[in-house]
Amino acid sequence: MTFFSVFLIAAALSLDAAAVAAANGAHHHRMSLAKAFKIAFFFGAFHLLMPLIGWAVGIGFGKVIAKFD
């Protein structure tokens, strides 16, 4: 994976998080600090886990597809 592709993935994930932050800010005029940290934690966790899950599934499917290649 090149630096450029990693940069594009990081940019897409940050834009996703920014869109959710803007939507939460527009919906909740007064958000507690605890709720803001809870939302940030879960977004960070999912943004960490989803690419790793996709990578693991891709590795698994690569072995299956290689049999037919």
Side-chain angles (χ1 to χ4, degrees), residues 11-46:
L13 289 175
S14 67
L15 289 173
D16 175 47
V20 171
N24 275 326
H27 180 70
H28 301 287
H29 296 290
R30 299 238 181 231
M31 185 183 299
S32 68
L33 189 60
K35 187 171 184 164
F37 277 123
K38 185 178 177 181
I39 291 171
F41 172 77
F42 280 107
F43 253 82
F46 277 99

Side-chain angles (χ1 to χ4, degrees), residues 34-64:
K35 187 171 184 164
F37 277 123
K38 185 178 177 181
I39 291 171
F41 172 77
F42 280 107
F43 253 82
F46 277 99
H47 279 155
L48 172 72
L49 290 175
M50 289 306 203
L52 292 176
I53 291 169
W55 173 73
V57 170
I59 294 290
F61 276 127
K63 291 177 183 175
V64 172

